[in-house]
Amino acid sequence: SKALANPSAQKEFYKQVQILFQDPISSLNPRLTLRESLSEPLQNLLGVYDTREQEARILPILARLHLESNLLDYYPAMLSGGQAARFCLARALLVRPKYVLLDEVTSGLDFALECEILGILQEMQEEMGLGILLITHSVELARRWCERIYIMQNGEIVEEFDTFVKPGKPITPKITELTGITNEMVANAPGEKEALEAFLKFAGDRILVGHNVHSFDMRFLRAAAKRSGISLENVTYIDTLTMAQAMYPGLHNYKQGT
């Protein structure tokens, strides 16, 4: 667009908006090592040229994404699809943008890695106030991860709706179609704060166990707790997916059920 024709406008735009594409391997320059690829946005967008300062910013993000630092000297062709996807995510987050656009980024990933990457983005959203726009053909994926869904056809929005059931707000036919929840089922449901307090009372000093609970279930609970002004500090849980991956690191490279 004309608004981004100016190089300085482009620079300001990419400092605030980062885009992750469907094919992570082709999104990385094959002639550059991963260290060089991660250094580029720091140099070009933030003006960080000192290699020690670059490393101080890069290494914590790699650790957050379960990427070994020795991979920095690899070339993109030497990575697995999951590793490449996480490196692209690291490159986007390095500049601490305001918004991240995800263009079918999980289409080539297995379910566990999909949840891991989207879960990390959700955590960064809470920590940084990050805005996320997920572009996908999967209604199920959008239902699980998005608070609001827009359905487009021929470049125009033809339908939009919230994915969360809100007490006192009628449930739309689309929500019923996606979740099976009807207005009759929640006619006498408690409010969000009351329901959360009941859950915490049930949890008590128990240790809760769930599969992918850290990236998925706790995300909803943390958001609800924040809205209700309730602390979740005393909730103790074990995520069987995280535990299995810690015991068997190779699980990051396999599809669910393998």
Side-chain angles (χ1 to χ4, degrees), residues 2-235:
K2 293 182 179 179
L4 296 179
N6 188 310
S8 62
Q10 292 181 16
K11 180 177 179 179
E12 189 59 33
F13 175 79
Y14 286 114
K15 283 170 63 176
Q16 299 185 51
V17 181
Q18 286 288 302
I19 305 173
L20 296 179
F21 295 101
Q22 181 175 354
D23 185 355
I25 295 291
S26 63
S27 297
L28 296 166
N29 190 326
R31 296 179 180 273
L32 299 182
T33 65
L34 296 165
R35 186 188 304 276
E36 292 170 327
S37 288
L38 294 182
S39 296
E40 273 195 335
L42 292 176
Q43 295 173 3
N44 298 334
L45 298 180
L46 302 184
V48 178
Y49 292 94
D50 182 79
T51 55
R52 287 175 297 181
E53 186 177 350
Q54 289 178 6
E55 191 161 294
R57 298 189 183 211
I58 290 172
L59 293 182
I61 288 186
L62 294 190
R64 185 78 175 270
L65 295 172
H66 308 293
L67 291 166
E68 300 292 337
S69 59
N70 67 300
L71 295 175
L72 287 171
D73 296 318
Y74 282 33
Y75 288 90
M78 302 166 69
L79 300 177
S80 68
Q83 288 173 327
R86 282 178 278 170
F87 263 105
C88 287
L89 178 56
R91 184 176 58 179
L93 295 178
L94 272 174
V95 299
R96 299 185 70 83
K98 291 183 179 179
Y99 304 98
V100 174
L101 277 60
L102 310 178
D103 185 8
E104 295 282 3
V105 293
T106 64
S107 60
L109 304 179
D110 62 81
F111 179 77
L113 187 56
E114 170 191 291
C115 290
E116 179 183 348
I117 288 178
L118 292 177
I120 290 171
L121 275 168
Q122 290 286 351
E123 291 174 5
M124 300 298 285
Q125 182 181 42
E126 295 175 10
E127 295 173 14
M128 301 166 50
L130 185 67
I132 299 175
L133 174 63
L134 174 65
I135 301 172
T136 180
H137 286 88
S138 172
V139 176
E140 175 60 24
L141 180 68
R143 186 189 68 80
R144 289 204 319 267
W145 291 99
C146 300
E147 296 181 7
R148 188 161 187 78
I149 295 177
Y150 295 86
I151 297 178
M152 299 187 69
Q153 185 174 2
N154 298 324
E156 296 184 357
I157 296 175
V158 296
E159 192 170 357
E160 60 182 272
F161 53 91
D162 294 327
T163 56
F164 290 115
V165 174
K166 298 181 179 179
K169 184 177 179 180
I171 295 174
T172 65
K174 179 59 70 173
I175 290 291
T176 299
E177 178 186 338
L178 293 174
T179 67
I181 300 174
T182 65
N183 283 296
E184 291 74 18
M185 292 169 63
V186 297
N188 299 312
E192 183 176 67
K193 184 175 182 179
E194 183 183 351
L196 187 58
E197 289 173 339
F199 167 76
L200 293 175
K201 183 178 180 180
F202 162 78
D205 57 358
R206 295 182 173 92
I207 297 177
L208 306 179
V209 179
H211 185 74
N212 200 38
V213 65
H214 178 71
S215 297
F216 191 68
D217 303 86
M218 287 303 296
R219 174 173 67 91
F220 294 105
L221 289 174
R222 283 193 294 267
K226 185 177 182 180
R227 288 192 295 267
S228 302
I230 294 176
S231 173
L232 292 180
E233 291 182 1
N234 296 324
V235 175

